[in-house]
Amino acid sequence: TFTVEDAAAVDIAAGETTTVRVRLRNDGCASWSHGKGDSLAYHWFDAEGREVVHEGARTAIPPTEPGASVDLDATIEGPPGAGPHVLVLEPVREPLAWFGAPATGGGRHDVEVAAAPLAWSLVSAAMPTIAWAGESITVRVVARNDGTAAWTSGQGDRLAYRITSDGSKQPPVEGVRTPWPSDVDPGEEVSVAATLELPSVPGRYTVRWRPVREHVRWFGPSTGDPDDTRDAFVVEVGPPQLAWSLVHADVGGRQWAGRASLVTVVVRNDGGDAWSPTKGDRLSYRWFDHDGQPIGGEGMRSELPYDVAPGETATVEVRVRAPDSIGLAMLEIGMVREHVAWFPAPDDATTRQRVL
C-alpha cells in the first residue's frame, strides 16, 4: 500500500511531456526498489470517466523502506486530447501488479489539459494496398493542423512516414520528407503530393504518415486516432517490378575488334511485371575497360521472341559488336525498357564477362 503525500500541480498539453514533483510514502510491509520492478506510473481518464491512457510512463522508485517517504520527479505524458481530465497516480511492480488505490492522500488530480502546440489530423491518404519492392510513388495526403502553432518550413516542418514490417521487432524505418506547399496555420487543412518509397524486400508492411519538426520531434498520432491504429495502412509489397537473372550467356573468351557476333543468352524474369516487346523490353549490352570505365555507348538492342511472364525464361540471340580497340574488356549483358530505364543489375556478378 502507499500514500501520495504531495503532488505538484500538473500543467500539461495534449501529447506533451512534463515532470511533476511527487512524494510517496510506503505504507506496506515490504521495501520498494526499482530492482524489484517498482515504478510510479499513472492512468488518464477523460471528462466522461473513460480511461484514455492505461499504461502511463514509468518513473523508477529508488530503495524505500516501509514507513519511509520518497520524492520523485515523475515523467508525465499528456493524454491525446485536450480538455478536462483526471490523472490517477499509481505505483506498479513489473511484471506482477499495480499497487491499487492509495491508503490515504490524493492519488487523483483534476487537470485541464491544454491543446498541443504540435497536433494534427490525417483527413485522407490515397494509399495503395499493393506495390512493387523498391517502388517510389506519389500519395495525395490531406492533413489538418489541430495544434496551436503554425507549421512552417523555417521551423523544419515536413510530412514524412514510418514503415514497420509485420512480424518484425525491428524499429520503424523513417521515410522521405515532403515539404508542405506553404505555411499551415492552426485549424487549416493542407493537401500535399507526398513521396512514398517502399522497401526493397517483398513483404507485408504498415505505413503511418506523421508530420515531423526536424531536429525537434515527430508529431504524435492523429487527433482522431489516439491508438495509432485506424490510420495504419497495410501495403503488400511484391517483388521488384523489373528484376531479372542471367541464366546463361555463351559469350566465349575472344571477340574480333569492331566486328559483330551472335551470343546466345538465357534470361529469367524475377520481377512482378511481365516483359513484352510492346512495352519496349529488349536485351542489350555495354562494354567496360579493365578499370570499369565504359567503352563507347549503349549496345545494339535484341528483341524478345515472346512475352515473358514472371518466373519464366527466354532464350535470345543477342547481336554484340565488339569495341574498335583491342585488349581486355568486360561485356555486360543488360535488360532495358526503352524510354523508361535499364533494369537493375542482378544481385550476382554474372552479367559481366571478360572478353579479349
Side-chain angles (χ1 to χ4, degrees):
T1 58
F2 70 101
T3 294
V4 179
E5 293 186 317
D6 187 36
V10 180
D11 183 11
I12 198 168
E16 300 291 300
T17 301
T18 191
T19 301
V20 176
R21 191 72 169 177
V22 177
R23 174 172 289 179
L24 297 179
R25 187 177 70 236
N26 184 348
D27 292 333
C29 58
S31 61
W32 299 342
S33 76
H34 189 57
K36 296 180 178 180
D38 296 328
S39 298
L40 177 63
Y42 55 87
H43 318 280
W44 280 107
F45 295 85
D46 64 15
E48 284 73 41
R50 294 172 299 194
E51 189 177 44
V52 293
V53 175
H54 178 65
E55 296 279 344
R58 270 51 170 172
T59 299
I61 297 177
T64 307
E65 296 300 320
S69 298
V70 60
D71 290 318
L72 303 173
D73 290 319
T75 298
I76 306 294
E77 295 176 355
H85 286 74
V86 175
L87 172 67
V88 178
L89 299 169
E90 183 181 352
V92 60
R93 175 162 287 182
E94 310 280 11
L96 299 179
W98 293 83
F99 281 33
T104 58
R108 299 173 63 89
H109 302 270
D110 293 327
V111 180
E112 185 66 32
V113 178
L118 300 178
W120 77 297
S121 287
L122 180 64
V123 179
S124 64
M127 284 288 294
T129 57
I130 301 174
W132 307 113
E135 186 178 9
S136 180
I137 61 178
T138 299
V139 177
R140 178 59 61 176
V141 177
V142 179
R144 184 177 63 245
N145 184 346
D146 291 337
T148 59
W151 304 342
T152 69
S153 59
Q155 296 184 91
D157 293 323
R158 308 283 189 272
L159 178 64
Y161 54 89
R162 290 169 169 166
I163 294 182
T164 54
S165 174
D166 279 17
S168 173
K169 296 183 179 180
Q170 297 297 318
V173 176
E174 296 186 5
V176 176
R177 270 58 167 169
T178 298
W180 300 112
S182 60
D183 292 351
V184 184
D185 291 326
E188 286 188 345
E189 289 188 3
V190 59
S191 177
V192 61
T195 299
L196 172 64
E197 292 186 353
L198 280 306
S200 59
V201 178
R204 184 182 175 92
Y205 294 89
T206 300
V207 178
R208 289 179 171 87
W209 293 97
R210 195 67 59 85
V212 60
R213 179 160 285 181
E214 299 290 2
H215 310 300
V216 178
R217 70 176 180 85
W218 287 78
F219 289 29
S222 173
T223 302
D225 185 25
D227 295 330
D228 210 14
T229 56
R230 188 195 68 189
D231 297 330
F233 299 95
V234 176
V235 181
E236 295 287 350
V237 176
Q241 181 181 13
L242 302 177
W244 68 293
S245 293
L246 181 62
V247 179
H248 174 75
D250 187 13
V251 175
R254 189 177 297 272
Q255 297 279 334
W256 293 102
R259 292 187 182 181
S261 61
L262 290 178
V263 176
T264 302
V265 175
V266 181
V267 291
R268 183 177 62 244
N269 185 347
D270 293 333
D273 195 16
W275 302 344
S276 172
T278 61
K279 295 178 180 178
D281 297 325
R282 311 279 191 273
L283 260 171
S284 187
Y285 60 91
R286 290 174 284 197
W287 286 99
F288 297 86
D289 63 20
H290 64 280
D291 293 323
Q293 297 301 310
I295 302 173
E298 297 178 359
M300 296 181 289
R301 270 45 169 178
S302 297
E303 295 284 342
L304 296 172
Y306 43 76
D307 291 354
V308 184
E312 291 184 348
T313 61
T315 301
V316 184
E317 296 296 328
V318 179
R319 190 171 182 80
V320 175
R321 185 182 186 277
D324 293 328
S325 58
I326 63 173
L328 180 65
M330 299 291 292
L331 174 65
E332 180 182 83
I333 304 295
M335 286 288 303
V336 61
R337 177 162 287 180
E338 299 291 0
H339 310 299
V340 178
W342 285 78
F343 289 25
D347 293 335
D348 55 33
T350 58
T351 58
R352 284 195 181 185
Q353 301 194 25
R354 291 176 179 269
V355 177
L356 280 172

